[in-house]
Amino acid sequence: MAAIATQCSSFVAAKSSFSGKNAQLRASKPKAATSRSVVAVAAEKQMWFPGAVNPSYLDGSLAGDYGYDPMGLGSDPVALKWYRQAELMHARWAMLGVAGILAQEFLVPDVFWYEAGLPENLPGFVNDDFNLGSIFGFEFLLMHYVEVRRWQDYKNPGSVNEDPIFKGNSVPNTEMGYPGGIFDPFGYAKGDLKSLQTKEIKNGRLAMIAFLGFTIQAQAVGTGPLASLSATPHFGKCVLPDSVVASGVTIPTPCLW
């Protein structure tokens, strides 16, 4: 009987040991699957350069994130949030500017966009007695007001959603920089918003580079971007004056090189 009991105990112990190993194997399998899924997700992110190392703070949550930050400016999360808003505003202004330059040269080719702001190219009511400084001052106040409200939204998201003059009019503003509401008349935000944000910032980055190219091109050739396609550049010197006089004020116009 003792021998039988000993054999039974050995069998039970062996079975328990085998079950324990199976449990350990089953417990380890999800970890391996999880590890593989993390690697797969990380491998799917497109980088700005093949083989580039992605900074840990660029986790793909921002639209148009391709891991490009060679100077580490975005390592501070507070600064990164503001840099994104600054990039977004510059991108939108650049897209408007580039579209305006091309449209103006196509519709009114006699006017050179780089000199369109000179007094002789302005509407007839702008003459020598016209105070150009008043326009600059008015624009400064308006832009200052808008930028202050944007700063308030940055510090306290949602605090400026309501129109300060026409009470009751507000925007959803679910994400800073994308107010929605009347600024989204076609309801695009109800779809794949992240994809649209990526398209916008990519086009905006291209427009910023294009505007810089338009400016250098105007200084080196003296014509607009369309006319410059067949013009001969004069790199190393400006074909335009280094300053202009508007309403008695001398405004420097330096070359970008």
Side-chain angles (χ1 to χ4, degrees), residues 18-140:
F18 180 77
S19 300
K21 289 180 179 179
N22 283 343
Q24 291 178 357
L25 289 174
R26 287 195 299 270
S28 63
K29 285 182 180 179
K31 293 182 180 178
T34 302
S35 177
R36 285 195 298 270
S37 64
V38 171
V39 172
V41 171
E44 289 177 359
K45 180 177 179 179
Q46 295 182 358
M47 299 298 294
W48 68 278
F49 185 80
V53 178
N54 182 64
S56 59
Y57 50 85
L58 296 179
D59 55 5
S61 59
L62 292 175
D65 173 16
Y66 295 99
Y68 182 77
D69 187 18
M71 300 180 65
L73 299 177
S75 57
D76 181 356
V78 177
L80 178 60
K81 183 180 177 182
W82 181 253
Y83 290 150
R84 166 39 57 100
Q85 295 306 310
E87 181 186 33
L88 191 58
M89 291 299 103
H90 281 81
R92 288 170 176 171
W93 278 115
M95 286 189 285
L96 287 173
V98 167
I101 291 171
L102 294 174
Q104 177 268 319
E105 185 176 0
F106 181 77
L107 298 174
V108 191
D110 295 335
V111 178
F112 180 28
W113 76 268
Y114 195 82
E115 299 175 343
L118 294 179
E120 58 267 25
N121 295 322
L122 294 178
F125 64 87
V126 180
N127 49 45
D128 293 337
D129 297 329
F130 187 80
N131 188 358
L132 199 59
S134 61
I135 294 184
F136 294 154
F138 185 67
E139 289 180 350
F140 174 80

Side-chain angles (χ1 to χ4, degrees), residues 33-247:
T34 302
S35 177
R36 285 195 298 270
S37 64
V38 171
V39 172
V41 171
E44 289 177 359
K45 180 177 179 179
Q46 295 182 358
M47 299 298 294
W48 68 278
F49 185 80
V53 178
N54 182 64
S56 59
Y57 50 85
L58 296 179
D59 55 5
S61 59
L62 292 175
D65 173 16
Y66 295 99
Y68 182 77
D69 187 18
M71 300 180 65
L73 299 177
S75 57
D76 181 356
V78 177
L80 178 60
K81 183 180 177 182
W82 181 253
Y83 290 150
R84 166 39 57 100
Q85 295 306 310
E87 181 186 33
L88 191 58
M89 291 299 103
H90 281 81
R92 288 170 176 171
W93 278 115
M95 286 189 285
L96 287 173
V98 167
I101 291 171
L102 294 174
Q104 177 268 319
E105 185 176 0
F106 181 77
L107 298 174
V108 191
D110 295 335
V111 178
F112 180 28
W113 76 268
Y114 195 82
E115 299 175 343
L118 294 179
E120 58 267 25
N121 295 322
L122 294 178
F125 64 87
V126 180
N127 49 45
D128 293 337
D129 297 329
F130 187 80
N131 188 358
L132 199 59
S134 61
I135 294 184
F136 294 154
F138 185 67
E139 289 180 350
F140 174 80
L141 291 176
L142 290 179
M143 294 299 295
H144 178 72
Y145 171 76
V146 172
E147 286 300 306
V148 167
R149 287 185 63 81
R150 191 159 67 92
W151 173 257
Q152 291 173 338
D153 189 40
Y154 168 75
K155 298 294 290 184
N156 185 17
S159 61
V160 294
N161 287 358
E162 186 178 22
D163 193 307
I165 300 176
F166 302 99
K167 300 295 184 179
N169 295 326
S170 61
V171 293
N173 194 26
T174 56
E175 183 178 347
M176 186 181 177
Y178 305 93
I182 62 173
F183 298 99
D184 183 24
F186 299 106
Y188 290 138
K190 298 178 182 179
D192 187 0
L193 181 60
K194 182 67 175 294
S195 176
L196 295 176
Q197 290 174 341
T198 301
K199 292 178 180 178
E200 180 189 33
I201 199 64
K202 289 172 70 174
N203 281 279
R205 289 167 178 170
L206 181 61
M208 287 188 282
I209 296 174
F211 182 78
L212 178 62
F214 287 1
T215 303
I216 295 177
Q217 196 174 47
Q219 295 175 345
V221 181
T223 58
L226 298 180
S228 296
L229 295 175
S230 59
T232 302
H234 303 278
F235 293 109
K237 66 176 182 178
C238 277
V239 298
L240 300 175
D242 57 0
S243 64
V244 296
V245 179
S247 297

Side-chain angles (χ1 to χ4, degrees), residues 8-24:
C8 290
S9 298
S10 300
F11 175 77
V12 171
K15 185 175 182 180
S16 299
S17 177
F18 180 77
S19 300
K21 289 180 179 179
N22 283 343
Q24 291 178 357

